[in-house]
Amino acid sequence: MKIQKKWLGLGLALSFGILAVGCSNNNNSKSTSSESTDSSQKKLAAKQELNLTEIAELPTGDTALATDTVSFTVFNQVLEGLYRLDKESQPIPALAKEEVKVSEDGLTYNFKLREGAKWSNGDNVTAKDFVYAWQRVVNPATGSQYAYLFDGIENADAIIKGEKTFDTLGVKAISDYEFEVKMEKPVPYFVSLMAFPTFFPQNEKFVTEKKEKYGTSAENMIFNGPFVFKGWTGTNLSWQYEKNPNYWDNKNVYLDKINVDVIKETATALNLYDADKLDRVLLTGEYAKQYQDDPAYKVVTEARSAYMQYNQVRDGKKTIFANENMRKAVAYSYDQKLLANEILANGSKVLTGFVPADLAKNPTSGEDFRKESGSYLQYDKKKAQDYWEAAKKELGGDKFSIDLTADDDETNKKISAFLKDQIEGTLPGLTVNVRSLPFKVRLEAGKTQNYDLMQGGWGADFADPVNFIDLLQTDSPYNRSSYSNAEFDKLLADSKGVNAVKPEARWKNLLDAEKILLDQAGVSPLYQRAAAELQKPYVKDIYAHQVGAKFTYKNAYIEEQN
């Protein structure tokens, strides 16, 4: 058809888009406390320096406030929590010196910390640093959007709602190196959250000394991870990681320095890669197709969903997307297969719902959630136009104008142009005005619901469908579209309450909740993200994670070339 020919013929220079993410995987943690490898078995180059790129600016250096991929990637290198993700994205003890001890009823966790771990100011990392950090996250005065992940810890919900003070949170430093957590209810994935940066410790002395400056630049941050952070002023587009001499497992960190530059154009990044000034570059569109036969080409799949957000209330007034038929008209108007296979062309897959494929399996049958839940809101021009006609009658008009908000990197600009063409071509009379914003500004636009239609996204904090579905709960801090459905909310509440320890019933709650959400087009799927990349053959052991923080550089090294 005409629209498809236009887009199939385009040579697109795309770099990879950013989605808001978290971290972690599941609770099948391993007993090893380090992935140490005898360095004598590695052929290490004399110069251990790595050159990488990001495609968006760093919004914050405060683990309590971060919600995005860039921030979590940074934190995963310069900070460390009780656990970290290994090469297989399984949580293994890090600052915890051994596996956590959990009571039979699943309501008490006892962590023993390793002694000798230090902050970059020389202070020891102790249990009090975890107590302080966790209390700071749930304290409403902090404004942490990830506070909801503490659900299940004693008094967490009441503190978040302002009903109790933050110092009543069920966490306690039994000694400098013993940390206890009391739960109100069992949380099956709790251990996996210990590898998620929001649960990392914070140094109270440093944070309180810096006050509002904390996390606004590298100089106003403190570190306890494999690397220390350098060169970030808070607004610039480059920074460095340097090996941390005080890190407890320093002998198993091989890189001396990592240089990072924010580059939003694929052509620029490829030129630097070809000139040996970059060691890895991300590819999409025609570039991904062009390099598919290159030995350095590979695809890294991710448990991340890209989707359309339909804002129902803006500036206190209902938008046209408060109308269900209008949401469905747009949801059916664009071709997901064309988007994934031709526009992105980087291994990203067609997404047939909200929860991505290969995230979680039915506890009884082993069926993947995405497959069992089914397919929703896939491109159908006739359905789109039928819903469009119904929406126009209900709204009393023939012509409408909306803005489509997205990040200003090259990928999202091209996706926006594609969506504008598809929506306007399918729904005559609907004008789409593309609004491309810097990453940090786009995040704020979403938070304040200053948009009509937005290219949104989410990466799993842990390997469970609830991590996606509860984003649209009525009172969720991530419900940035004013979607609300009482039955949907009840199913989520049941999955976390009466059915929390009933795997089959809980699974059905989540299947039913996703069906309600998508049947009403509360969101609509775009694609399941993957990253096509070129990486120099001498770069070894960068760990890429399907969920959570995208990369771990702790074990990476530059191999000596013959």
Side-chain angles (χ1 to χ4, degrees), residues 160-215:
I160 293 166
K161 293 175 182 176
E163 298 169 356
K164 291 190 177 183
T165 56
F166 65 85
D167 55 357
T168 63
L169 186 68
V171 295
K172 180 170 65 173
I174 295 175
S175 68
D176 281 351
Y177 300 104
E178 188 172 356
F179 178 53
E180 183 182 84
V181 183
K182 291 284 189 180
M183 310 293 289
E184 292 176 336
K185 59 186 177 183
V187 176
Y189 47 81
F190 184 72
V191 171
S192 70
L193 289 173
M194 298 305 98
F196 181 40
T198 308
F199 290 83
F200 286 2
Q202 291 190 339
N203 183 290
E204 182 176 6
K205 180 176 71 176
F206 187 88
V207 175
T208 54
E209 176 186 297
K210 292 296 182 179
K211 297 181 181 177
E212 69 278 358
K213 290 184 178 180
Y214 176 66

Side-chain angles (χ1 to χ4, degrees), residues 148-265:
Y148 77 95
L149 285 182
F150 288 71
D151 177 50
I153 300 178
E154 189 174 80
N155 294 329
D157 286 346
I159 296 166
I160 293 166
K161 293 175 182 176
E163 298 169 356
K164 291 190 177 183
T165 56
F166 65 85
D167 55 357
T168 63
L169 186 68
V171 295
K172 180 170 65 173
I174 295 175
S175 68
D176 281 351
Y177 300 104
E178 188 172 356
F179 178 53
E180 183 182 84
V181 183
K182 291 284 189 180
M183 310 293 289
E184 292 176 336
K185 59 186 177 183
V187 176
Y189 47 81
F190 184 72
V191 171
S192 70
L193 289 173
M194 298 305 98
F196 181 40
T198 308
F199 290 83
F200 286 2
Q202 291 190 339
N203 183 290
E204 182 176 6
K205 180 176 71 176
F206 187 88
V207 175
T208 54
E209 176 186 297
K210 292 296 182 179
K211 297 181 181 177
E212 69 278 358
K213 290 184 178 180
Y214 176 66
T216 60
S217 68
E219 289 185 352
N220 291 300
M221 295 169 65
I222 190 170
F223 318 107
N224 71 330
F227 302 93
V228 295
F229 200 38
K230 300 283 188 180
W232 180 58
T233 66
T235 58
N236 64 321
L237 300 180
S238 63
W239 53 82
Q240 298 82 43
Y241 307 114
E242 295 183 3
K243 185 174 180 178
N244 183 358
N246 296 317
Y247 179 57
W248 68 269
D249 198 28
N250 177 270
K251 67 180 181 180
N252 291 306
V253 179
Y254 307 108
L255 292 171
D256 294 316
K257 188 176 183 180
I258 304 173
N259 303 302
V260 180
D261 289 292
V262 176
I263 302 173
K264 300 184 180 183
E265 295 77 28

Side-chain angles (χ1 to χ4, degrees), residues 354-355 369 373 376 465-466 469-470 472 483 485 487-493 495 506-520:
F354 191 31
V355 177
F369 183 92
S373 183
Y376 299 89
V466 74
I469 297 169
D470 70 0
L472 274 295
Y483 173 81
N485 179 285
E487 185 180 358
F488 175 85
D489 288 347
K490 185 180 186 304
L491 288 165
L492 276 172
S495 77
R506 179 177 181 274
W507 186 261
K508 188 174 187 307
N509 287 158
L510 298 177
L511 287 169
D512 291 345
E514 192 197 48
K515 177 174 173 55
I516 290 172
L517 173 67
L518 295 174
D519 279 347
Q520 293 188 322

Side-chain angles (χ1 to χ4, degrees), residues 53-73:
T53 179
E54 278 285 2
I55 64 150
E57 59 272 25
L58 174 62
T60 180
D62 185 348
T63 53
L65 299 180
T67 63
D68 65 285
T69 301
V70 179
S71 297
F72 290 139
T73 295

Side-chain angles (χ1 to χ4, degrees), residues 437-510:
L437 301 177
F439 182 49
K440 197 171 182 178
V441 179
R442 197 272 299 168
L443 289 177
E444 185 63 21
K447 183 179 178 181
T448 59
Q449 291 188 216
N450 181 27
Y451 72 95
D452 296 324
L453 188 62
M454 181 177 284
Q455 291 163 223
W458 190 260
D461 300 323
F462 47 92
D464 192 285
V466 74
N467 188 221
F468 287 82
I469 297 169
D470 70 0
L471 297 174
L472 274 295
Q473 194 167 16
T474 298
D475 59 356
S476 167
Y478 286 96
N479 184 345
R480 296 166 177 173
S481 60
S482 296
Y483 173 81
S484 184
N485 179 285
E487 185 180 358
F488 175 85
D489 288 347
K490 185 180 186 304
L491 288 165
L492 276 172
D494 288 349
S495 77
K496 300 174 186 178
V498 295
N499 293 328
V501 292
K502 300 175 183 177
E504 291 183 44
R506 179 177 181 274
W507 186 261
K508 188 174 187 307
N509 287 158
L510 298 177

